[in-house]
Amino acid sequence: MFLDIDGTLLDFSLSPDRVFVPPELPPLLRRLEAWLGGALALLSGRKLTDIDALFGPGFAAGAEHGALLRAANGEMIVETSPNSTLAVLAAPLREAVAARPGTLLEEKSFGLTLHWRAAPAMAGELTVLAGKLAAPHPELLLLSAHEALEIRPRGTDKGAALETFMSRQPFAGRRPIFVGDDVTDEPAIASASAMGGLGLHVARDFGGATQIVRTWLAESLEQGGGGATA
């Protein structure tokens, strides 16, 4: 089982640090992990420290869209080298969000994310600016997200992260199920399907509701995994 976080397990908030974690969710994930023999991983665009802060340490995780992969026992499976070009973009983008109330720049080790959920009218201006800044750097990829724009180096995505986990125990030889909600989740949806599993999308398969995803996970656990389908 591979799960995205924002928009899949958790509802979006005006800023990433203001999301609400339902108190029953971390224990549910622990029970799912135990039922699956440890074969559960969280695949997110968030930093690894953020994932641990939300759900507690000890989960297998793919952070920053697969730039960092960590096993449940703490072993680092993949650790990508930071891209120095991101620092070139960070300074002007900081200035841009400072001049536009309601927007923010999330700075991570392996990427930048522009958020405008609290100021949707700023989407066009910030997207154009980011495109101009990134244009001289073809190694960077810009991806639209939910009221946000991801800027990160090419070569890492959640699909590759899922495939790496599936090559290792306790995932190897099993049927992958991935649930995500965004364009950045499509590679993992495709990879899970290509490997004979299920690639599920919150809008397409769960009516766009994170609560339905959480209920489905709880019901799958109660049923002992008998035919877990959306």
Side-chain angles (χ1 to χ4, degrees), residues 122-216:
M122 297 293 102
E125 292 180 20
L126 289 176
T127 299
V128 169
L129 174 61
K132 289 180 178 178
L133 292 172
H137 308 288
E139 74 275 18
L140 296 181
L141 178 68
L142 274 63
L143 284 174
S144 296
H146 286 297
E147 297 186 273
L149 182 71
E150 299 272 359
I151 307 167
R152 56 187 173 88
R154 299 178 186 274
T156 59
D157 62 46
K158 293 182 183 180
L162 184 150
E163 291 167 11
T164 298
F165 275 119
M166 287 297 295
S167 70
R168 299 170 54 91
Q169 295 298 335
F171 302 91
R174 307 178 72 170
R175 182 187 184 209
I177 299 176
F178 174 81
V179 188
D181 73 298
D182 207 346
V183 64
T184 57
D185 296 312
E186 295 293 353
I189 290 173
S191 290
S193 298
M195 298 179 79
L198 290 175
L200 304 175
H201 190 282
V202 176
R204 298 192 291 264
D205 300 298
F206 297 94
T210 63
Q211 178 59 64
I212 295 177
V213 176
R214 295 192 296 270
T215 299
W216 172 73

Side-chain angles (χ1 to χ4, degrees), residues 77 95 102 115 147 160 176 192 222:
I77 303 168
E95 294 180 5
H115 295 270
E147 297 186 273
E222 291 172 4

Side-chain angles (χ1 to χ4, degrees), residues 14-200:
L14 291 180
S15 64
D17 60 348
R18 294 172 63 182
V19 293
F20 172 70
V21 180
E24 70 276 9
L25 181 56
L28 170 61
L29 295 178
R30 293 293 182 191
R31 293 196 300 273
L32 277 168
E33 180 187 45
W35 166 53
L36 293 167
L40 181 145
L42 302 171
L43 302 184
S44 175
R46 285 182 176 266
K47 295 183 288 188
L48 193 56
T49 52
D50 289 347
I51 296 172
D52 289 346
L54 290 171
F55 300 109
F59 285 108
E64 302 197 38
H65 303 286
L68 291 175
L69 301 187
R70 182 191 66 191
N73 65 3
E75 176 193 358
M76 294 305 299
I77 303 168
V78 171
E79 190 165 3
T80 306
S81 299
N83 187 302
S84 59
T85 305
L86 292 169
V88 177
L89 275 66
L93 290 177
R94 281 190 216 110
E95 294 180 5
V97 299
R100 294 168 173 82
T103 67
L104 64 90
L105 177 66
E106 185 182 3
E107 299 185 44
K108 297 174 278 190
S109 298
F110 305 95
L112 303 167
T113 306
L114 285 164
H115 295 270
W116 49 73
R117 184 168 298 276
M122 297 293 102
E125 292 180 20
L126 289 176
T127 299
V128 169
L129 174 61
K132 289 180 178 178
L133 292 172
H137 308 288
E139 74 275 18
L140 296 181
L141 178 68
L142 274 63
L143 284 174
S144 296
H146 286 297
E147 297 186 273
L149 182 71
E150 299 272 359
I151 307 167
R152 56 187 173 88
R154 299 178 186 274
T156 59
D157 62 46
K158 293 182 183 180
L162 184 150
E163 291 167 11
T164 298
F165 275 119
M166 287 297 295
S167 70
R168 299 170 54 91
Q169 295 298 335
F171 302 91
R174 307 178 72 170
R175 182 187 184 209
I177 299 176
F178 174 81
V179 188
D181 73 298
D182 207 346
V183 64
T184 57
D185 296 312
E186 295 293 353
I189 290 173
S191 290
S193 298
M195 298 179 79
L198 290 175
L200 304 175

